Amino acid sequence: MSFEYVLAIETSCDDTSVAIVRKDGYVEACLAANQDLVHKPFGGVVPEIASRNHTLQILPLIEQIFAQTKFSFDKIDALAVTSRPGLIGSLLVGVVTAKTMALVKEKPFVGVNHLEAHLLAPFLFDNEFTKPKGLDFPYLALAISGGHTQLYIVRGFGEYEVLGRTVDDAAGEAFDKFAKRMGFGFPGGVQVDQKAKLGDRSRFALPRTMIHDEGYNFSFSGLKSAAIRLIDTLSSEELEKESAHLCASFQEAVVDSLMAKLDRAAKDLKLERIVLTGGVSANSRLREVCTEWAKKNSFNIFIPPLRYCTDNAAMVGFAGLQRLISGERADQNLSASASSLDTDFKEASR
Ligand code: KG4
Ligand code: ZN
């Protein structure tokens, strides 16, 4: 059976997204309904509210993508859905939708690991963003989002080795918690990024935890706590005055912590192709530092456009297509799982 087009569904956290993707990575369309405004008053994602919103949004989005692309189910060869890891109630909405459509339309389908999808996002292209040149295996990939901070060697489709991970908070989670204490909305990473542009990065000395430790793990909770303690010592007038400097100093500490391990891993493993992916790779300072670093070391860096860095179904479609092409199929017993399966990733041997 040949697989040309897949309909993909992503509902692992708070973004409902659907996409139609071609097997070479071309994205026919990718739609997403963001729930930020719904969760904002709570300062974080409320799982029950997220899954309820997925149930409201998923079918209208699928109708919309078919209407917009003029595709019908006849042109779709299979379905791909994020089945792990994530919020279980949210994942279930996508999984049940995909299973039902696969059954009714008699199409094959696969369950995809959300993190694998992030790792393959640099292969995506569309009518605005051209196919990246020189992207090939193996590459080093830093996946940084609200829920994850992991460093991988990607050796091929389905061949992923974990080099390091955060031992506590994810980088995006640290951004969001810091932002919340600063009085910004949720999620706050983007506001910190904006504000930091006006600040002095060396104004406050904040910790870069674990950067000299052996291995490639990360830690952000010490930085987050130090920054929050510092904010607690300031009056509201001082906080207002120092706000941009605090953001710039905090952001620089996150960027330094990420870059220290990325630099060491690229050099130790002699990997010259580097991928940044996940919501935090939208950070303008990280992009700037990483691009300069790559230039200086003659590394080839790939950062997907923002729409494919944050949670989206297009990356799920591309990852799912590779699995379908290799012969994998899910059946009606497919269940959602809050964590990755043991077989999804290997620990890298040192
Ligand atoms: O990948 P993503 O959309 O969802 C998850 O899987 O978590 O990532 C969202 C995270 C949030 O923590 C958000 O604050 C962070 O990415 N983020 C940023 C920026 N844009 C989004 N963090 C720092 N700077 C940004 N410009
Ligand atoms: Zn994600």
Side-chain angles (χ1 to χ4, degrees), residues 8-124:
I9 297 176
E10 154 67 39
T11 60
S12 66
C13 188
D14 61 336
D15 292 311
T16 323
S17 179
V18 301
I20 296 176
V21 185
R22 203 169 62 197
K23 74 166 181 230
D24 59 351
Y26 180 75
V27 183
E28 284 286 336
C30 181
L31 303 179
N34 175 290
Q35 301 183 13
D36 286 353
L37 283 178
V38 186
H39 298 284
K40 202 172 185 153
F42 305 97
V45 175
V46 184
E48 289 78 7
I49 298 179
S51 43
R52 201 177 314 146
N53 275 286
H54 287 310
T55 61
L56 297 174
Q57 290 164 345
I58 189 77
L59 294 178
L61 276 181
I62 292 172
E63 276 173 19
Q64 194 185 332
I65 206 162
F66 280 134
Q68 184 177 318
T69 55
K70 309 219 174 7
F71 267 60
S72 67
F73 254 112
D74 301 345
K75 231 180 139 182
I76 298 290
D77 302 305
L79 289 102
V81 60
T82 305
S83 60
R84 60 195 187 275
L87 300 172
I88 196 78
S90 290
L91 287 164
L92 274 170
V93 178
V95 168
V96 170
T97 307
K99 285 206 288 198
T100 310
M101 291 195 165
L103 187 68
V104 172
K105 301 288 178 187
E106 299 181 342
K107 304 279 178 191
F109 72 109
V110 278
V112 171
N113 182 301
H114 177 85
L115 295 168
E116 172 183 24
H118 271 303
L119 295 182
L120 299 180
F123 286 99
L124 299 172

Side-chain angles (χ1 to χ4, degrees), residues 55-243:
T55 61
L56 297 174
Q57 290 164 345
I58 189 77
L59 294 178
L61 276 181
I62 292 172
E63 276 173 19
Q64 194 185 332
I65 206 162
F66 280 134
Q68 184 177 318
T69 55
K70 309 219 174 7
F71 267 60
S72 67
F73 254 112
D74 301 345
K75 231 180 139 182
I76 298 290
D77 302 305
L79 289 102
V81 60
T82 305
S83 60
R84 60 195 187 275
L87 300 172
I88 196 78
S90 290
L91 287 164
L92 274 170
V93 178
V95 168
V96 170
T97 307
K99 285 206 288 198
T100 310
M101 291 195 165
L103 187 68
V104 172
K105 301 288 178 187
E106 299 181 342
K107 304 279 178 191
F109 72 109
V110 278
V112 171
N113 182 301
H114 177 85
L115 295 168
E116 172 183 24
H118 271 303
L119 295 182
L120 299 180
F123 286 99
L124 299 172
F125 63 105
D126 56 31
N127 55 10
E128 279 170 23
F129 178 76
T130 51
K131 204 177 170 76
K133 283 197 183 67
L135 179 62
D136 200 358
F137 302 118
Y139 56 81
L140 189 64
L142 179 61
I144 30 177
S145 68
H148 308 280
T149 300
Q150 267 134 330
L151 189 60
Y152 299 85
I153 313 174
V154 179
R155 296 202 184 277
F157 294 127
E159 290 179 63
Y160 315 106
E161 291 176 24
V162 184
L163 274 171
R165 54 171 67 79
T166 179
V167 297
D168 40 55
D169 290 355
E173 187 182 354
F175 264 110
D176 293 340
K177 288 180 178 163
F178 169 76
K180 189 174 176 185
R181 184 61 190 83
M182 289 294 291
F184 304 154
F186 170 82
V190 67
Q191 282 95 315
V192 176
D193 187 352
Q194 289 306 323
K195 198 95 193 177
K197 290 191 198 324
L198 311 166
D200 172 1
R201 299 191 280 269
S202 54
R203 173 70 154 239
F204 298 104
L206 290 167
R208 275 88 168 137
T209 318
M210 289 184 82
I211 60 166
H212 300 299
D213 288 21
E214 234 184 89
Y216 309 103
N217 284 341
F218 307 91
S219 166
F220 295 101
S221 83
L223 164 63
K224 174 198 68 188
S225 305
I228 290 175
R229 274 199 306 276
L230 176 62
I231 297 170
D232 288 342
T233 64
L234 303 176
S235 67
S236 46
E237 295 78 41
E238 284 168 328
L239 182 58
E240 176 78 33
K241 198 167 129 259
E242 301 292 344
S243 168

